[in-house]
Each structure stands twice: as structure tokens, then as C-alpha cells.
Amino acid sequence: MGPKRVDFMVVGDGVLGRSIAYALASAEPTARVALSGRRGEQSEQGAASGAAGAMLSTVGEVTAATSRTVHGRLRLSMAVQAADRWPRWRDEIRAYAGAGAPVDDGYGTGTFILLNAVSARLDEQAFHAIEAAARRHALPVEHTDPADIPGYRPLDNDRALRALHLPAEAFLDARRWLATLDAALHALPNLARTPAGLLRAAGDDYTLHTGADRYTAPTVIVAAGAWTTPLLARLDPDLTVLPVVCAEGSAVSVDGPTPLRSVLRTPNRAYACGLHAVPQADGAWYVGATAQPAISPGERPTLGGVRFLLDAALGQLHHGLTGSALRQLHHGNRPIGLDGHPLLGQTARPGLWVATGTHRDGLHASPLIAQELSEALLHGTPSHILAAWRPDRALINDWTAAEAGREAASHHHALTAESRMRPPLTGSWPDALATAYRHQLDEAYAAMPDGYVPPPELAPLAYEHGPA
């Protein structure tokens, strides 16, 4: 039997792959679309989407560095535009899914930003930056008394000094949302789901060998998350596309000590996306998350990462979590471009597109990315919103090595504060650790190849792996 001919192949069935496949197949009923990936439990092992906390953060992810860099401001603009699209996008997909969609996808609004006592200057700067960004984009924000926040019972030594309420900041249950997307995809007659397979270039076409079947298409969209780089290298070793690394993260779903109606979170800090608790559709608390930069994805969490997460959650969010039953341990690899930014759009190779590297923004930005890429693929309409993120671009360097080193050192120092590391209170000891971090990072950045300045969130890769 010959290959099955389709118009578009989407390789990777995380939230971006599913969203892009849906946008293509629903916008053009005559277009034949194939979506390839590891379905079910297997697809969630180590993948970012199935492990996500699904905060649809518009300004909650903002840091002081966001407004200082050109591309930080572009990412914030994307987040604002994605938030505007979410209500209609969600309604449309739930309508397509019909009775196949979960009755409750956990969607809600409201986020409290906590500036905790166990924090550093970095957190305070991010706290102010979040408020400023909200006001700049005319989004509701208000100061609130931490003692009045529902579901919040920290230890006294860890309690919030100040708090912001972002009433319009949304969230949902990532696993319920993926099930909703699956139901919508199943309802589309021009879309086929296929197992993962071997992708190859075949003349002007691309073929996917799944074992039982073979698919061929003139256009393929690779949305394989943290596994993108080895996949592209096998497809075309000479292809010039920015490498994708990852940030491994662990989280837990637990029986909460009290009902949770809003997101509780700290500002982004120390390579994590802030400590956070997100309400789930079944009443559980999703508590996350850690973040460890890595060259290649890992499938399982570390005991050190889980211990740090639980210590932080019990002290900074709710000490009643001590008696909570563990429902699920999550572990995912957030894909991130080597310069800290996403890879979205067409490559120099005809018919080959890439959608990955979104780091913490993938689920939130999925409506925007899917619709913009669908327009470009179906109608040849270039997306000015995604133009900065071409996969074959030159490295984006928003930082000098000295600036990036200072910022990375401040992240490390914030981690010591959160870990309650207390130096001897004599002589120069209180400043010794911060000074050591600066020396270590200055040396690591000096060893990088000419023209490459790792973004601060990837600094550990610089001293753990060196120029490699």
C-alpha cells in the first residue's frame, strides 16, 4: 500500500502541536492534516504540556528584565494578545469538542502575587515590574492585605510582606484542556491522528514512517518541544536552526487543605517560574514548580528538586499541606531556544516549519501561535507578531556578558535566601557568597564562544557544560 497523502503534517502532539493541527483543519475543511505523537500516558512522560500548571499568565511572569530588553517587551506583547484570544478560542474548541469535552476544564480567573519574607531584591524588583506592566497595559491590578487572601496560610517566618491581586489573570487545568483539544480534533473529519514515527525528507516532500503506515506531505510543522533539535538533525544535518535546550520542572497535585479559588504565586525567581498553587478541576491543588536548565530532556524528577518544592510550598503557601495526600507527581521539560526565546515559523528548507522553544509561555500563547501560523500556512500571510522568532535567525543577544552574569548571580543569590542559607555574621562573610557567584559566572561567561551570551535563565548550562 502506498503512502497516505496529506497537505500538512504536524509532528509533536503537545499543546502547540494539537492547537496548530486544530487551527489548520478547522480553518480549511478541504485541507488534510496529520498529527503525529505519543498519545495517552506515554505522551506525557517528560513532556511539558501534560505536566503544566496552566497559569494563563499575562503579566504574572514579568520580571524587571522583561521591560529592560527589546525581546522581553515583545514576549510581553505576545502574552497580552494571547490573553485577548483565549475566551473565544476556548469557546470555539469546546463547541467543536461537544459532549466529548470534560464538563469542567478548570478555567477561572484571579491571581495573587506574593512578595514573601524569604526573598531577595530580585523578587522585589519583579513585584514592582508586574504592577507596572499591568498598569501600562490597562489590566486590573490592586494591592491587597496578604492576611485576607483565601487559601493562604504560610509559616510566620515565610509570610508575604506585600501582595498584588490580578483579578483578570486566568488559569485552567492543563490535563483537562488537553482532553478537550483531543475531543475537538476527533470531531474534525479532515484530521488524522498517527503514532510517533520516523520523519524523513523525500525530494520536495516529507514522509513519516509510523510502522504500520506511511504519510507524505509537502509541508511539515515540527512542534516536538524539547526533542526538536535531534529530530531536525536526523531530518537534515545541514539545516541551520537554533538549538533547543530545556528547563526540567517538577510539580505535584495534592488534596488541598482548603478549597482554592485563585492562583497563589511568587514572582519568577532563581530559574523557576515562581512558587505557585493552581486550582484544578477536580478540587486538587497543583503545586509547582522547579526549573533546572538541561541540554537534553529527562524523564523523572530528582529527590532534591521535589524536596525543595515541598519545603517551599509548606512554608510559603500553606503549612496545612503537610497533611495533604499526594495525587500525582508531574515532571516536564519546558523547551527553550538557546538564546532564551521561541522558534516559530518557516525555516530556510522549503516546506519545513518549527514551533517550539516557548519555555513557560507555550500553553498561554497557544491560541496566538496556532492562529498566526495557520494564517501563514494556509494563505501565505506573514505574521508580524511572530516575525522576531524565525527558527533560523541569528542568536538574539539582549545582554552583554557582564549584564547577564550580574543578573544570573542575582538569581543564584535569591535562591540562597529562599533556601534560608545564613552565613556567619562576621567580617565579609555575608557578602562572600554573592561575590563567589559573580566570580563563577564571570568565568563561565568569559569561556563562551564569541557572539554567544547565554540568557541568565540558562547560566547554569554555561558552568555545568562549558562551551559545549
Side-chain angles (χ1 to χ4, degrees):
M1 183 182 294
K4 299 178 180 179
R5 182 77 175 175
V6 296
D7 299 295
F8 301 100
M9 280 194 299
V10 182
V11 177
D13 65 349
V15 70
L16 274 187
R18 293 183 217 194
S19 299
I20 292 166
Y22 169 83
L24 287 168
S26 61
E28 181 48 74
T30 63
R32 294 160 296 174
V33 181
L35 173 61
S36 167
R38 299 174 297 169
R39 299 185 65 182
E41 292 182 5
Q42 190 183 18
S43 70
E44 296 183 5
Q45 188 166 358
S49 297
M55 295 178 289
L56 306 181
S57 296
T58 309
V59 296
E61 298 283 342
V62 164
T63 66
T66 301
S67 59
R68 289 203 304 265
T69 63
V70 171
H71 293 90
R73 294 191 292 272
L74 283 175
R75 296 283 290 277
L76 176 56
S77 175
M78 281 180 60
V80 172
Q81 293 178 71
D84 289 340
R85 300 192 189 201
W86 255 103
R88 180 177 291 183
W89 174 256
R90 176 173 170 264
D91 288 345
E92 178 186 320
I93 289 178
R94 286 186 62 81
Y96 249 106
V103 174
D104 184 1
D105 59 10
Y107 183 83
T109 57
T111 293
F112 290 95
I113 307 291
L114 309 168
L115 182 61
N116 290 337
V118 281
S119 61
R121 177 67 175 155
L122 180 80
D123 305 72
E124 192 171 2
Q125 291 169 340
F127 185 86
H128 292 309
I130 289 169
E131 180 181 7
R135 298 196 187 284
R136 189 163 60 249
H137 290 277
L139 299 171
V141 57
E142 55 202 21
H143 287 262
T144 190
D145 187 339
D148 295 335
I149 297 174
Y152 177 59
R153 285 184 60 196
L155 296 177
D156 284 345
N157 287 346
D158 296 354
R159 70 188 186 279
L161 308 175
R162 280 173 281 175
L164 292 173
H165 184 214
L166 303 169
E169 201 97 329
F171 58 87
L172 48 65
D173 186 320
R175 286 140 295 280
R176 295 284 182 95
W177 181 245
L178 291 175
T180 303
L181 275 169
D182 283 343
L185 293 169
H186 181 73
L188 289 163
N190 56 329
L191 186 138
R193 297 291 294 268
T194 80
L198 179 63
L199 181 67
R200 290 179 173 168
D204 293 334
D205 286 337
Y206 298 89
T207 62
L208 181 74
H209 298 260
T210 66
D213 293 305
R214 185 157 57 103
Y215 290 82
T216 181
T219 304
V220 62
I221 303 96
V222 174
W227 290 265
T228 296
T229 294
L231 188 156
L232 293 177
R234 288 192 300 268
L235 178 69
D236 183 349
D238 298 322
L239 186 67
T240 303
V241 169
L242 201 67
V244 176
V245 293
C246 61
E248 288 191 69
S250 300
V252 293
S253 290
V254 300
D255 292 329
T258 185
L260 188 64
R261 305 300 181 204
S262 302
V263 170
L264 309 178
R265 67 164 298 164
T266 62
N268 283 349
R269 59 161 73 150
Y271 307 109
C273 45
L275 174 67
H276 54 269
V278 184
Q280 299 294 277
D282 60 2
W285 286 34
Y286 174 100
V287 180
T290 63
Q292 177 61 43
I295 293 289
S296 56
E299 292 187 351
R300 288 178 291 274
T302 64
L303 292 180
V306 174
R307 176 191 175 186
F308 179 77
L309 171 66
L310 297 181
D311 281 348
L314 296 174
Q316 299 178 44
L317 295 179
H318 201 303
H319 54 77
L321 287 165
T322 305
S324 294
L326 176 66
R327 293 194 184 187
Q328 187 174 358
L329 178 60
H330 308 279
H331 186 70
N333 295 271
R334 308 176 190 93
I336 178 171
L338 196 61
D339 59 5
H341 297 294
L343 284 66
L344 303 169
Q346 191 171 14
T347 70
R349 183 182 179 89
L352 179 61
W353 296 61
V354 175
T356 188
T358 49
H359 199 195
R360 295 184 294 261
D361 304 339
L363 200 148
H364 174 61
S366 57
L368 177 78
I369 292 170
Q371 290 172 339
E372 291 293 307
L373 287 182
S374 175
E375 278 291 308
L377 286 159
L378 292 172
H379 308 298
T381 309
S383 171
H384 70 277
I385 298 174
L386 306 184
W389 319 122
R390 278 189 63 99
D392 54 1
R393 65 176 180 267
L395 285 162
I396 293 170
N397 278 334
D398 278 331
W399 304 84
T400 66
E403 290 169 343
R406 277 197 302 272
E407 182 75 8
S410 72
H411 280 271
H412 282 67
H413 195 56
L415 184 58
T416 67
E418 191 174 13
S419 301
R420 299 176 180 84
M421 293 178 65
R422 184 174 180 178
L425 300 179
T426 58
S428 61
W429 275 106
D431 299 322
L433 194 56
T435 302
Y437 281 140
R438 281 299 312 275
H439 287 319
Q440 178 189 26
L441 287 156
D442 285 346
E443 289 178 358
Y445 274 86
M448 289 297 99
D450 290 343
Y452 177 53
V453 178
E457 59 265 36
L458 293 182
L461 296 184
Y463 58 73
E464 290 173 357
H465 298 278

